[in-house]
Amino acid sequence: MIAKKNKGFKIVPYRPEHEQALLEIERMSSQGFMVKLETLRPDFLSRASLFEDYTAFTAVDLNGRVLAGVTAAQAPMRINGKMLQTGFGFDVVVDTSVRNRGIGRELATCVRKRFFEPKELTRQFTTLRSGNLTMLHLLSKTYRNTFLLEFLYLTFPTARTLRVENTAIGEPKFGVSLLSDSDKLSDYYEETENGLGLWHTHQIYQLKVKSVNPVLSGGLWLGNRFVRTNKYVPLVGSVLKMTTIYNLTQDNIHSLPEVSLQLYKRGTNYMQICCRPSDAVYHALQKSALNAFSHYIVGTQELKPDEQLTIDVRC
């Protein structure tokens, strides 16, 4: 089924012939401010295909040129011990030459009407960098009500020694786990003897550094040469290979330094951990983190800070 033509474009189901154009749009849409990053991955569905049920749509102009794309999946979420099935929208990419024409909003509406609603996925959400005001504005127009819950990505260079300030973290209200036992995921994760999970994000996508603000590098000019004084800020052209930690508990948080060292020896140069700003996890690890990127879970139903929440590491 093809959506009605609207303002010179239409929404169609994703097809393999859209692949290269969507990857190029994504590559040219840099992430970040102080550090500009481009996404590298083998195919546009590299994340979506790891869910049991997923879809993708593409926006094309009347001549068939690819303008934008989006993916969505049915994703599990655990709230106060109860497993729920939710609609997760992600990987929205729009060509910079056609932004502010309502294409993103049409894609979001298409996902809601053609995928979420037929499957009765009434709880719908996405995750966004807190500074992504464009997407927040788009979602506020697409849905009557949206609710925000802040969380952080703590990033650790595996080349640097990680220190855990306090292992008595109790049972955090916010957690990340792999909420699936699908066989097709076996190549993407591993779990240690104490239950700590390693989701190898770098096998799904990697990030290449396009530029670094000199202020962030802590650099200085010596004659006509720029010298970096912070060796943990990535070099332009370097590729960030990331592993995401899940199933973090009071019983295994002490093993993070050894896990980080092993990842470094295997060529994975960054490790990331999700937590909330108020969690004991944040206070135990933030001194070793290179940075803490603020994100929101943006959903159609409220997630209360005092609820026990576990999101799927694939999200």
Side-chain angles (χ1 to χ4, degrees):
M1 181 184 296
I2 297 178
K4 294 180 180 179
K5 296 176 183 178
N6 182 19
K7 298 180 181 179
F9 64 88
K10 57 186 177 181
I11 310 298
V12 300
Y14 165 87
R15 295 195 297 269
E17 54 263 38
H18 302 153
E19 175 80 14
Q20 291 307 312
L22 289 170
L23 288 176
E24 182 63 13
I25 292 170
E26 182 176 60
R27 190 183 69 81
M28 297 302 293
S29 303
S30 299
Q31 304 178 36
F33 174 63
M34 299 293 278
V35 178
K36 295 286 188 182
L37 303 168
E38 67 178 66
T39 302
L40 306 175
R41 54 174 166 167
D43 59 82
F44 187 64
L45 301 182
S46 62
R47 286 182 69 196
S49 62
L50 298 180
F51 291 90
E52 287 73 17
D53 194 0
Y54 63 93
T55 191
F57 294 98
T58 309
V60 298
D61 68 13
L62 302 186
N63 296 316
R65 182 172 75 96
V66 173
L67 305 176
V70 66
T71 57
Q74 180 172 317
M77 176 184 288
R78 187 187 296 127
I79 302 177
N80 292 330
K82 182 179 180 181
M83 192 73 78
L84 303 174
Q85 293 301 319
T86 68
F88 175 51
F90 56 106
D91 287 351
V92 181
V93 296
V94 181
D95 192 306
T96 55
S97 67
V98 294
R99 290 180 181 174
N100 301 314
R101 285 176 45 184
I103 297 176
R105 182 178 179 182
E106 288 293 325
L107 285 169
T109 300
C110 177
V111 165
R112 175 170 58 84
K113 290 184 175 180
R114 295 204 215 169
F115 187 71
F116 294 155
E117 290 180 357
K119 295 180 179 298
E120 298 182 344
L121 300 172
T122 56
R123 183 183 287 273
Q124 300 158 24
F125 79 101
T126 190
T127 57
L128 297 175
R129 285 283 294 269
S130 59
N132 194 342
L133 300 180
T134 300
M135 280 300 299
L136 286 171
H137 182 62
L138 182 153
L139 292 169
S140 69
K141 283 189 171 183
T142 306
Y143 293 93
R144 180 173 300 176
N145 295 304
T146 54
F147 302 89
L148 307 182
L149 182 72
E150 185 184 15
F151 71 99
L152 303 174
Y153 273 110
L154 298 181
T155 306
F156 306 87
T158 57
R160 184 167 67 182
T161 302
L162 186 154
R163 291 181 174 82
V164 181
E165 298 295 323
N166 184 5
T167 60
I169 61 172
E171 185 177 2
K173 293 288 186 181
F174 179 83
V176 177
S177 188
L178 180 57
L179 302 176
S180 171
D181 58 2
S182 173
D183 290 339
K184 67 180 179 179
L185 303 178
S186 59
D187 292 336
Y188 296 93
Y189 76 95
E190 58 185 297
E191 294 186 358
T192 65
E193 291 182 358
N194 57 26
L196 191 71
L198 286 70
W199 178 253
H200 297 305
T201 308
H202 61 86
Q203 293 182 202
I204 305 160
Y205 67 87
Q206 299 176 9
L207 298 171
K208 184 178 180 179
V209 180
K210 293 185 71 173
S211 64
V212 178
N213 189 304
V215 173
L216 185 64
S217 298
L220 56 116
W221 287 96
L222 295 178
N224 62 356
R225 188 165 61 94
F226 184 78
V227 179
R228 293 167 66 252
T229 56
N230 185 345
K231 64 180 180 180
Y232 296 111
V233 173
L235 291 168
V236 173
S238 63
V239 175
L240 313 187
K241 298 180 180 180
M242 193 84 67
T243 286
T244 305
I245 300 300
Y246 66 92
N247 287 352
L248 187 65
T249 68
Q250 181 169 287
D251 295 328
N252 59 33
I253 191 172
H254 70 276
S255 65
L256 284 174
E258 178 59 27
V259 167
S260 179
L261 177 60
Q262 293 306 315
L263 289 173
Y264 172 72
K265 290 179 177 179
R266 286 154 50 174
T268 302
N269 48 12
Y270 288 90
M271 184 174 74
Q272 62 184 6
I273 294 173
C274 296
C275 61
R276 297 207 62 233
S278 57
D279 284 351
V281 171
Y282 171 74
H283 296 291
L285 299 174
Q286 57 95 11
K287 287 184 179 180
S288 288
L290 178 64
N291 47 47
F293 290 121
S294 177
H295 284 66
Y296 291 126
I297 297 174
V298 186
T300 56
Q301 297 181 31
E302 185 177 11
L303 292 168
K304 298 178 181 178
D306 60 347
E307 290 181 317
Q308 199 79 33
L309 171 65
T310 303
I311 62 172
D312 196 294
V313 69
R314 293 172 292 177
C315 298

